[in-house]
């Protein structure tokens, strides 16, 4: 099959009415031998800033010498932007190859579910040391939530997609908190009513809760806006968790260089 034909097929699966849920994806992943179970992930949700936090984590880990995958959405110009490994986007040829691996097992999965399954297979085959995953929508029922990460991240919670996620901060916080896993640390920049919901769920799942701290000694004046400084603090707090878990070896210069990139 041709690359453009595959993309036309995938885009044709998109529906204006989004149906969240993991069941269809789990059926597909089971048929392709659950590649997500062989990945070492950092899972990032949030209303705003999750793309920036993912990018910071990706470049910091790369600067420390690790092979890193990055899965984000949506793309800006080209589908390939969604799936990156180290310095390269997934190629047109690789998209064809991974779609053909998944295609025999597709039943009624969505665009995002099929794309996520392809990405999991791709990162597994690349032997990624780490994969940074950005939640597509919400968290609890998002396709990326099929993984059990080393650390979960929720950047913040605000009113968004209220027709899907709920009409209150509390309901949206509940959906975001769906990425919290048993015994897996959670880093967050959330406050107020949303934090109370997240704290409760973290306690229920015995997930250590880490409030993002301010890294005043690592300042980036070229990052415009206070929100980007907050994103930096969240990313560095997640890196701190990985260091305490002895999952990474990294120094301050690598962190600074990574965020500059």
């Amino acid at each position: 099959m041709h690359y453009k034909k595959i993309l036309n097929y995938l885009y044709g699966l998109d529906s204006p009415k989004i149906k969240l849920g993991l069941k269809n994806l789990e059926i597909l992943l089971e048929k392709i031998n659950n590649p997500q179970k062989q990945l070492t992930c950092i899972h990032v949700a949030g209303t705003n800033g999750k793309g920036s936090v993912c990018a910071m984590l990706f470049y910091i880990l790369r600067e420390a010498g690790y092979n890193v995958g990055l899965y984000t959405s949506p793309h800006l110009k080209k589908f390939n932007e969604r799936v990156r490994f180290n310095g390269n986007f997934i190629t047109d040829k690789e998209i064809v190859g991974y779609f053909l691996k998944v295609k025999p097992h597709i039943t009624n999965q969505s665009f995002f579910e099929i794309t996520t399954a392809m990405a999991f297979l791709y990162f597994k085959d690349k032997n990624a040391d780490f994969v940074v995953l950005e939640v597509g929508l919400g968290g609890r029922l998002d396709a990326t939530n099929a993984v059990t990460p080393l650390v979960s991240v929720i950047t913040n919670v605000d009113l968004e997609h209220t027709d899907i996620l709920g009409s209150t901060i509390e309901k949206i916080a509940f959906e975001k908190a769906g990425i919290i896993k048993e015994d897996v640390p959670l880093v967050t920049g959330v406050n107020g009513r949303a934090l109370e919901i997240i704290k409760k769920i973290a306690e229920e799942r015995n997930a250590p809760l880490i409030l993002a701290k301010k890294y005043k000694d690592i300042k980036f004046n070229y990052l415009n806006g206070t929100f980007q400084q907050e994103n930096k603090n969240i990313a560095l707090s997640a890196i701190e968790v990985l260091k305490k878990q002895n999952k990474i070896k990294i120094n301050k210069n690598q962190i600074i260089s990574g965020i500059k990139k």
Side-chain angles (χ1 to χ4, degrees):
M1 292 182 76
H2 192 272
Y3 164 79
K4 288 186 178 177
K5 189 174 180 181
I6 288 169
L7 291 189
N8 287 337
Y9 167 80
L10 289 172
Y11 294 145
L13 297 174
D14 249 353
S15 167
K17 187 167 179 60
I18 297 171
K19 295 177 182 177
L20 294 175
L22 291 174
K23 186 177 178 181
N24 285 338
L25 176 65
E26 287 170 349
I27 291 169
L28 179 56
L29 292 174
E30 185 73 32
K31 289 176 179 175
I32 58 173
N33 298 318
N34 287 308
Q36 79 283 2
K37 291 184 178 179
Q38 298 176 58
L39 301 178
T40 302
C41 299
I42 302 159
H43 196 197
V44 183
T47 299
N48 298 305
K50 60 183 184 288
S52 294
V53 170
C54 284
M56 291 175 187
L57 290 168
F58 172 74
Y59 280 102
I60 289 169
L61 290 168
R62 277 203 65 203
E63 196 64 21
Y66 296 101
N67 292 312
V68 191
L70 177 64
Y71 183 59
T72 58
S73 61
H75 59 273
L76 297 178
K77 293 184 178 179
K78 198 173 182 185
F79 176 90
N80 310 55
E81 297 167 25
R82 293 170 177 262
V83 183
R84 180 186 295 204
F85 182 71
N86 288 343
N88 302 305
F89 295 126
I90 189 171
T91 65
D92 295 356
K93 184 178 178 182
E94 286 169 330
I95 289 170
V96 172
Y98 282 94
F99 176 76
L100 292 177
K101 287 181 180 182
V102 171
K103 183 175 181 286
H105 311 293
I106 294 171
T107 50
N108 59 343
Q109 285 80 19
S110 68
F111 165 85
F112 193 66
E113 287 166 342
I114 294 168
T115 301
T116 301
M118 289 166 58
F120 287 160
L121 266 179
Y122 174 79
F123 293 134
K124 178 186 77 74
D125 288 350
K126 289 289 187 182
N127 293 313
D129 296 317
F130 297 96
V131 176
V132 181
L133 290 174
E134 179 188 11
V135 167
L137 178 63
R140 182 174 64 95
L141 299 174
D142 186 76
T144 60
N145 205 26
V147 303
T148 300
L150 289 178
V151 57
S152 306
V153 177
I154 301 175
T155 58
N156 57 17
V157 174
D158 209 338
L159 290 175
E160 57 157 342
H161 300 291
T162 51
D163 55 325
I164 300 167
L165 301 179
S167 57
T168 66
I169 288 290
E170 289 84 356
K171 286 180 179 177
I172 293 172
F174 174 78
E175 293 300 326
K176 305 286 185 193
I179 72 165
I180 301 172
K181 302 293 193 307
E182 291 285 337
D183 303 316
V184 174
L186 170 73
V187 171
T188 187
V190 172
N191 54 35
R193 290 174 295 161
L195 182 59
E196 294 309 309
I197 300 293
I198 287 167
K199 273 183 179 177
K200 181 174 180 291
I201 293 173
E203 285 173 8
E204 289 170 357
R205 297 178 189 171
N206 198 36
L209 179 65
I210 298 102
L211 300 180
K213 67 178 185 179
K214 293 182 179 178
Y215 289 81
K216 293 180 180 178
D217 59 328
I218 300 178
K219 202 163 187 177
F220 297 98
N221 295 324
Y222 53 82
L223 287 176
N224 294 324
T226 55
F227 63 92
Q228 284 291 32
Q229 298 299 332
E230 290 166 6
N231 291 336
K232 172 208 73 180
N233 290 333
I234 293 166
L236 295 186
S237 296
I239 290 292
E240 196 68 34
V241 170
L242 296 177
K243 285 171 68 178
K244 286 179 180 176
Q245 291 175 335
N246 293 316
K247 299 296 183 184
I248 59 171
K249 290 184 178 179
I250 194 167
N251 60 48
K252 185 176 176 180
N253 288 337
Q254 290 168 328
I255 290 171
I256 291 171
S257 181
I259 291 189
K260 278 184 178 178
K261 292 181 179 178

